[in-house]
Amino acid sequence: MFDNFLIHTFHDGNCLQAYKIFGAHFETHEGKKGVRFTTYAPNARSAQVVGEFNQWGETPCYMERYNNGGIYTIFVEGVKEFDMYKFRFETPQGDIIDKADPYAYFSELRPGTASKVYNMEGYRWHDSKWIKNRTKNYDCPLNIYEASLGSWKMKRESEGEGDDGEYYSYEELIDEIIPYVKKMGYTHLEVMPLTEFPFDGSWGYQATGFYSATSRYGQPKQLMKFIDACHQEGIGVIMDFVPAHFVKDSHGLHMYDGGFVYDYNDYNRRYSPWDSVYFDLGKNEVRSFLLSSVEFFATYYHIDGFRFDAVSNLIYYEGNKNLGENIGAMEWMKRLNGHMSGYHPTVMMIAEDSTDYPGVTKPVGEHGLGFDYKWDLGWMNDTLKYFQEDPVYRQYDSRFITFSMAYFYSERFLLEFSHDEVVHGKATIINKMWGLHGDKLAQVKALYVYMMLHPGKKLNFMGNELAEYKEWDESKSLGWDILKYPDHDAFHHFAQKLNEIYLKYPALYEMDYDLKGFEWLVVDDHDQCVFAIERKDKAGNAIIAVMNFVGNTHEKYKVPVNIEGSYKEILNTDQAVYSGKNIVNPRAIRSKKTKPNEKTKLLNKDHYIEVKLAPFSACIFEVKPKKGTPKKTPKKTKRVIKKTK
């Protein structure tokens, strides 16, 4: 009846397919068609399944223990797809409680709390080419659009308390968000948590169903169709996943069978600051539960990557270094990343981690946690702090711009301006900028150029590309009407152009994590707050950006350069088409030779270019070496190219 090896690995904490044992599965038993229900409830005195098929327990369906290991199971004839059900337990204290199925594939639409029988088999995928060519994007472009599927665009917004509004379905979103993401030049769509959750205001970060795609937007196979459509349009899908904690709601995992199956036995470890319950990842069955959940979404939904929320709370108890390392949770992360790298080697594993714990992106075999990427929250905080302050004081705070490169190569970092930065009371990205509207708009464009030229993959939350002033509200659509204003429409086109440049030039992504791919050309001009960056690809082709972060104009700012040749401006944030004053460099700039008596701390190379810089602006140049000038290609790259030829 069951795969005993799977049961063994479940109790051993290494099971990746616990969903094949537990939950509700269609089967034929003794010639009769029905559903087998199975759950893990080691503390229960008794267990039964109740649902529409037995009038919610009027005809008792008591479950039998399997091998005395805390597993209860029963076959019920005649159960149909979409039938609702729950498990009913007699607790060690003699109470009777009803619980949703932790392994349910589908759930009743909130405010309902029942699980639904669902057949996950039978969807025909059309993304074999995508899956075959998929990589973890270390040397490929990775530009992520983070979105809440419900509030990106709504059919009808909430009209007040008790009204949830009306969402687009997974299928309807195929014709809405996918063309937009593709047109704007993003490579991946990151969706906020889709595992079933009861309260809209938690944004999905307090879940009940870790195998159940939320019913807010439709059925599981509709989600499969949506992801399939993304892949056919060349867009990857990353799913936000919450392994640290779960909701306290009575129908959920908290005190599941009257005892502490998923939660800590120790009261002092059990509850989080978010009024939720921490998973006890020191328990092997809990490890298997969450390992299998990640593997399930990778297998059944073809998810291309997972962003793991609140990893700091998995590294340290409550995310607090003073409370000590959470050894059980760290062991789980190592197992997860080790198993996934073997079974799903092209699925990205991304840690949202605010700690300085070393080796988050090092392989497990090298004593690391094994993630592929780590959010650079330090870069995000420093950068926004710099742009929030009065430009008069920025000359003293250049470290906020430069410090990230002092530690950047210690991990494989991803740069992000996520939903956390634009929610209630935090102000949107443009509204964090110093000054009035015109200055804010100019600075946020310069900020995004700096972000794009800085090494590391990229992520922006929906609405950031509109320069929205309205903070994100999960019950309302983005402010699409803002595009009727010329400044915001121009900014929207600027964001699209910047993404286009990112995709076009390998120098901006091929060597993100190679020291040879980045150099500060100007980093010490503290008084004028001008910075310049050079990025190179594996073949030695270069792109440079020059950024002026204060309100002064420079007619001929001298930028030292490595390559003798021509520098063509391919983007300037002050172009009129982007609502600027058109202080630009219209013709290609030829480099000049630096005379020995001209060399200074700022002009420290053999060649330089003279650039016109508008206030609060940034410009990007494509570099064309002078004919006969050899490209400086790293030796390793040369060998690879030769071998390929």
Side-chain angles (χ1 to χ4, degrees), residues 559-565 567 591-594 599 603-609:
V559 180
V561 295
N562 289 311
I563 301 171
E564 182 182 6
Y567 289 72
S591 64
K592 297 180 180 179
K593 192 169 181 62
T594 309
K599 288 204 172 183
L603 201 60
N604 54 7
K605 294 186 179 295
D606 292 335
H607 296 87
Y608 67 91
I609 58 173

Side-chain angles (χ1 to χ4, degrees), residues 226-247:
F226 173 78
I227 295 170
D228 199 1
C230 284
H231 289 171
Q232 291 174 62
E233 292 298 327
I235 297 166
V237 179
I238 299 168
M239 176 178 163
D240 217 335
F241 191 82
V242 189
H245 62 119
F246 53 89
V247 294

Side-chain angles (χ1 to χ4, degrees), residues 568-633:
K568 178 185 176 183
E569 188 174 78
I570 56 175
L571 180 70
N572 191 312
T573 60
D574 200 57
Q575 287 173 251
V577 69
Y578 304 131
S579 69
K581 293 183 170 58
N582 223 35
I583 301 174
V584 298
N585 300 278
R587 295 182 180 86
I589 303 170
R590 291 193 177 278
S591 64
K592 297 180 180 179
K593 192 169 181 62
T594 309
K595 297 175 183 177
N597 64 329
E598 289 181 319
K599 288 204 172 183
T600 64
K601 182 181 179 182
L602 296 177
L603 201 60
N604 54 7
K605 294 186 179 295
D606 292 335
H607 296 87
Y608 67 91
I609 58 173
E610 291 181 329
V611 177
K612 188 181 289 187
L613 292 174
F616 300 122
S617 71
C619 39
I620 303 176
F621 295 89
E622 179 183 28
V623 184
K624 292 187 177 180
K626 182 180 178 181
K627 287 184 179 180
T629 304
K631 294 178 183 176
K632 294 180 180 179
T633 309

Side-chain angles (χ1 to χ4, degrees), residues 309-374:
D309 181 64
V311 167
S312 60
N313 289 68
L314 300 177
I315 294 174
Y316 301 112
Y317 288 109
E318 297 183 22
N320 186 342
K321 188 184 293 188
N322 295 326
L323 296 178
E325 293 182 359
N326 187 338
I327 301 301
M330 285 207 288
E331 174 60 27
W332 175 78
M333 287 188 283
K334 291 176 183 178
R335 292 187 188 187
L336 170 70
N337 290 324
H339 286 312
M340 288 294 288
S341 67
Y343 287 95
H344 296 279
T346 60
V347 171
M348 295 178 290
M349 309 294 275
I350 305 167
E352 185 258 332
D353 171 32
S354 57
T355 75
D356 59 359
Y357 185 84
V360 172
T361 58
K362 280 188 177 179
V364 175
E366 297 177 19
H367 308 291
L369 294 183
F371 288 97
D372 298 303
Y373 297 99
K374 172 179 173 172

Side-chain angles (χ1 to χ4, degrees), residues 249-266:
D249 295 47
S250 60
H251 69 283
L253 301 177
H254 184 33
M255 296 187 68
Y256 177 64
D257 58 3
F260 302 106
V261 179
Y262 297 93
D263 18 21
Y264 283 98
N265 294 4
D266 181 356

Side-chain angles (χ1 to χ4, degrees), residues 19 40 139 203 249 351 363 414 425 558 588 604 613:
Y19 55 86
Y40 177 65
D139 58 358
W203 314 330
D249 295 47
L414 184 153
K558 293 181 178 180
N604 54 7
L613 292 174

